[in-house]
Amino acid sequence: MAGATVKADYYEILQVTKTSSDSEIKTAYRKLAMQFHPDRNPGDHTAEEKFKECSEAYGVLSDPQKRAAYDRYGHDAFGGGRGAPQGGGFPGGFSGDPQDLGDIFGDIFGEMFGGGGGARKGSRAQRGRDLRYDMTLEFEEAVFGKEQDIRIKRSEACDDCNGTGSANGKQPATCSQCRGAGQVRYQQGFFSVARACPKCEGSGVTITDPCKTCHGESRVQREHTITVKVPAGVEDGTRIRYQGEGEAGKLGGPSGDLYVVLSVKAHKFFQRDGDDLHCVVPVSFPQAALGDELEIETLEGSALLKVPEGTQSGKTFRIKSKGVPHLNSHGKGDLIVEVRVQTPGKLSKQQKELLRQLADTMKVDNAPTSHGIMDRVKDIFS
Ligand code: ZN
């Protein structure tokens, strides 16, 4: 078509007549589009031009209003036709909107590749967005669980228009740019690429008489209270999903989900390792050497821990079932107590004297050793 000064007649291009019906025009276009489709004629410039020509003709003749205007004014109906800026984006001056080309391409691709139609049929409804709520828990709340009401701001279907976005029960109009397909196709080299229609954002419809309450959005922002049940045994970073409690979908689409994301504060002396708890308990040298019974604070009251005679610093003891409940099952982890022998920093005169007497009775070989030092120290007392 480059350099052509006289535009060919749209009816001639599609090999139909002025009296042809819509379906005859569609059939004719489909036949030609399949014949000249760039995917079928790679590198063939003439075929590409033919394809564009057919698409342009069909773009006008498939639209009753444009067809009427064309019948009356010819190519002048479209501001000189070629080169006029259009939303379609076909390079080379395709002056018709891509409209239901989406559908027809879907059919063509279906036939060409044996699939069930390459184009997504315009689904009006859109799923709502997921929401995230961050909740901070005390250490004990994560261990024992908690129930808390939270208030979230989210979009919900507008009551006044039943989520349609239109006032007075009016139906939304088919989008004029994509003609309800929800997507437009672009010619990119030899490929046609689908993209969500920029005018209706993929919904395929436009609201002509918007609801006063939601301004045509079909949804309104509202506060909503949800009772969050934190089960016992959750960890830092656990996400609780509430299906369908996110933002409402657009035009009747399903709601998104709400995710409550937990962050758990540290405890002043317990540390978690899975469902086990760890803590460190200081003991004096005489307690470790002679043995003792200690009262250990746990998350559920106190527990007795028997430290046997000759306990080395760093030795760990396990107190059964005093840890964190297993999430979603029975039982609990353990409490693991590490005993650390404290060396006194300040001593009275009397204590120093007693220790000197003691020191005279225990001599340790201070030669360096690599491993097994603990065993050797133990030997001294046994
Ligand atoms: Zn509304």
Side-chain angles (χ1 to χ4, degrees):
M1 291 296 287
T5 46
V6 180
K7 270 175 84 80
D9 182 80
Y10 285 150
Y11 290 100
E12 275 177 30
I13 289 169
L14 293 182
Q15 298 162 22
V16 290
T17 66
K18 280 201 170 191
T19 52
S20 294
S21 70
D22 288 350
S23 68
E24 282 171 325
I25 288 172
K26 189 172 178 176
T27 307
Y29 170 65
R30 275 187 48 161
K31 202 181 120 215
L32 292 165
M34 279 185 71
Q35 187 184 336
F36 296 119
H37 195 281
D39 286 359
R40 285 196 149 178
N41 304 279
D44 187 341
H45 220 70
T46 314
E48 200 189 343
E49 285 303 323
K50 284 260 187 210
F51 177 75
K52 280 180 193 163
E53 206 176 54
C54 295
S55 300
E56 181 183 335
Y58 180 72
V60 170
L61 298 186
S62 60
D63 181 331
Q65 278 180 356
K66 284 184 186 160
R67 187 179 175 183
Y70 179 72
D71 286 347
R72 241 177 122 178
Y73 305 110
H75 288 296
D76 292 342
F78 307 106
R82 312 218 128 223
Q86 295 285 337
F90 270 76
F94 170 49
S95 62
D97 291 338
Q99 327 145 339
D100 30 344
L101 298 190
D103 263 353
I104 214 159
F105 281 0
D107 294 343
I108 290 167
F109 286 130
E111 284 170 44
M112 278 170 73
F113 302 118
R120 184 182 60 98
K121 295 281 157 85
S123 74
R124 280 129 210 260
Q126 283 173 24
R127 186 180 180 273
R129 278 190 316 160
D130 291 337
L131 289 177
R132 175 192 170 125
Y133 184 93
D134 292 300
M135 184 184 269
T136 303
L137 297 174
E138 296 297 332
F139 189 86
E140 289 86 345
E141 291 174 334
V143 171
F144 298 114
K146 184 194 191 182
E147 211 173 289
Q148 189 188 317
D149 285 351
I150 58 165
R151 288 186 74 70
I152 50 163
K153 229 180 171 177
R154 66 179 185 190
S155 60
E156 297 182 357
C158 174
D159 288 334
D160 291 343
C161 61
N162 289 320
T164 62
S166 292
N168 312 317
K170 235 181 128 175
Q171 286 298 307
T174 302
C175 174
S176 61
Q177 186 159 340
C178 65
R179 289 206 172 172
Q183 56 176 215
V184 286
R185 279 193 171 265
Y186 295 82
Q187 197 62 35
Q188 206 160 74
F190 293 118
F191 300 98
S192 64
V193 180
R195 228 182 64 183
C197 173
K199 189 174 178 188
C200 64
E201 291 170 345
S203 69
V205 291
T206 43
I207 310 280
T208 48
D209 189 6
C211 162
K212 299 261 183 306
T213 310
C214 66
H215 309 290
E217 286 295 309
S218 81
R219 306 178 295 183
V220 287
Q221 285 288 317
R222 225 178 268 151
E223 283 223 336
H224 185 79
T225 303
I226 283 175
T227 304
V228 173
K229 285 182 182 142
V230 177
V234 293
E235 281 185 80
D236 189 52
T238 299
R239 302 195 312 173
I240 306 174
R241 177 169 170 247
Y242 289 88
Q243 200 175 354
E245 295 289 358
E247 305 238 74
K250 254 187 177 174
L251 300 164
S255 294
D257 300 332
L258 168 69
Y259 288 92
V260 177
V261 182
L262 306 174
S263 63
V264 180
K265 285 193 196 168
H267 193 273
K268 60 178 187 287
F269 50 79
F270 289 123
Q271 278 186 319
R272 264 180 85 161
D273 175 18
D275 287 340
D276 288 338
L277 290 175
H278 286 253
C279 69
V280 174
V281 171
V283 291
S284 69
F285 171 70
Q287 280 180 303
L290 302 171
D292 202 359
E293 224 168 57
L294 310 175
E295 203 174 291
I296 305 287
E297 194 182 326
T298 75
L299 284 177
E300 300 157 271
S302 56
L304 277 184
L305 175 67
K306 231 182 139 163
V307 176
E309 205 179 296
T311 294
Q312 297 302 328
S313 189
K315 167 117 179 116
T316 56
F317 299 90
R318 191 175 279 266
I319 304 176
K320 284 268 171 205
S321 293
K322 289 290 182 188
V324 179
H326 300 314
L327 184 64
N328 301 325
S329 76
H330 296 291
K332 284 177 176 180
D334 301 330
L335 171 61
I336 292 154
V337 181
E338 181 189 332
V339 168
R340 263 188 218 165
V341 176
Q342 276 201 331
T343 304
K346 260 190 178 173
L347 291 169
S348 69
K349 249 189 171 174
Q350 193 201 3
Q351 286 172 323
K352 278 185 188 171
E353 186 48 43
L354 287 168
L355 276 179
R356 272 189 205 108
Q357 286 177 32
L358 181 65
D360 287 341
T361 67
M362 2 168 133
K363 290 291 181 194
V364 175
D365 181 4
N366 295 124
T369 58
S370 53
H371 295 290
I373 176 87
M374 285 308 182
D375 299 331
R376 292 182 62 179
V377 173
K378 211 181 201 171
D379 290 343
I380 295 161
F381 298 99
S382 53

